[in-house]
Amino acid sequence: MYYYVSGVVAHVEPYLAVIECGGVGYACRTTSYTLSQIKKGDQAKLFTYLSVREDAMDLYGFASQEELKLFRQLISVSGVGPKAALGILSSSSPANLAMSIITGDEKSLTAAQGVGKKIAQRVILELKDKLAKGQTISASGDSVAGPVMTIIPQNKLSEASAALAVLGYSQAEISLALKGIDMDSHPLEQIIRLALKNMMKS
């Protein structure tokens, strides 16, 4: 229903940002990471997900499409609802979270508030299994065929490629975004950031 909301940041509080668009304030439940990217009184664009239940209708907003994709992937995991997904996303940057899932870093996931060992294991198990079968998550939350990839990366290039694949990018997009980046001069997280910046330009 909503792809994004764009307007002035009217109000912020933990896990919530209100974006005023045409005189209407849209309350977007969000992550600590997204809140760190916006400022009250400034213009902002949040990519959204509308959750509709019998007793509630909530709008979730994220500063980047990458974070929204990860949110959709997380809520596709059995037992992980929107609240838990926000907690997991708030514990790290999207790039770092992607790496945690790829490498099976259970400890990083349990650092999120309210996320125990069982949920962390389930997130890693279910998302890595989809990737192992060469799948990504579509906008509707369904699994779709994608390029087969190696789950255990061997170097910074393959680790960065794996993290970007978790975010839903195709191998063609990843190869183009990583082209020209000096793998020896930058740490892994910076390589991923540079690649995401390249994708935003294209």
Side-chain angles (χ1 to χ4, degrees):
M1 183 176 181
Y2 300 108
Y3 185 72
Y4 65 79
V5 293
S6 179
V8 176
V9 181
H11 175 74
V12 294
E13 61 183 70
Y15 295 103
L16 183 73
V18 178
I19 309 298
E20 184 177 342
C21 310
V24 178
Y26 291 87
C28 301
R29 298 182 184 276
T30 190
T31 64
S32 299
Y33 180 79
T34 285
L35 289 174
S36 73
Q37 307 297 304
I38 62 177
K39 184 179 178 182
K40 185 177 178 180
D42 287 353
Q43 287 281 333
K45 176 190 282 187
L46 297 185
F47 296 93
T48 56
Y49 173 87
L50 183 63
S51 173
V52 180
R53 305 193 308 272
E54 287 185 9
D55 58 343
M57 187 165 64
D58 295 312
L59 189 64
Y60 294 83
F62 305 93
S64 69
Q65 289 177 304
E66 291 75 33
E67 192 176 22
L68 173 59
K69 287 175 185 176
L70 267 177
F71 176 79
R72 288 181 182 278
Q73 288 177 318
L74 287 168
I75 62 175
S76 75
V77 175
S78 59
V80 178
K83 186 176 180 180
L86 284 187
I88 294 171
L89 284 165
S90 290
S91 66
S92 181
S93 69
N96 283 341
L97 176 58
M99 282 307 305
S100 296
I101 295 171
I102 282 289
T103 59
D105 187 355
E106 186 181 302
K107 188 175 180 180
S108 292
L109 294 178
T110 55
Q113 185 177 0
V115 176
K117 188 174 181 179
K118 287 185 178 179
I119 290 180
Q121 289 175 338
R122 198 177 300 137
V123 167
I124 291 169
L125 177 64
E126 292 195 25
L127 294 186
K128 284 183 70 171
D129 184 54
K130 286 181 172 67
L131 292 172
K133 292 176 181 176
Q135 297 177 331
T136 56
I137 304 300
S138 69
S140 64
D142 299 323
S143 61
V144 295
V148 176
M149 56 171 287
T150 303
I151 293 302
I152 304 175
Q154 301 300 318
N155 52 47
K156 282 196 282 190
L157 175 61
S158 57
E159 285 181 345
S161 297
L164 292 167
V166 169
L167 295 175
Y169 290 106
S170 69
Q171 288 301 317
E173 290 173 318
I174 291 168
S175 297
L176 189 61
L178 291 173
K179 187 177 180 180
I181 298 176
D182 189 340
M183 299 293 161
D184 296 325
S185 301
H186 300 293
L188 177 61
E189 186 176 350
Q190 183 63 20
I191 290 169
I192 295 170
R193 284 203 187 105
L194 289 170
L196 290 172
K197 190 177 292 184
N198 288 341
M199 287 180 180
M200 292 297 184
K201 292 177 183 177
S202 60

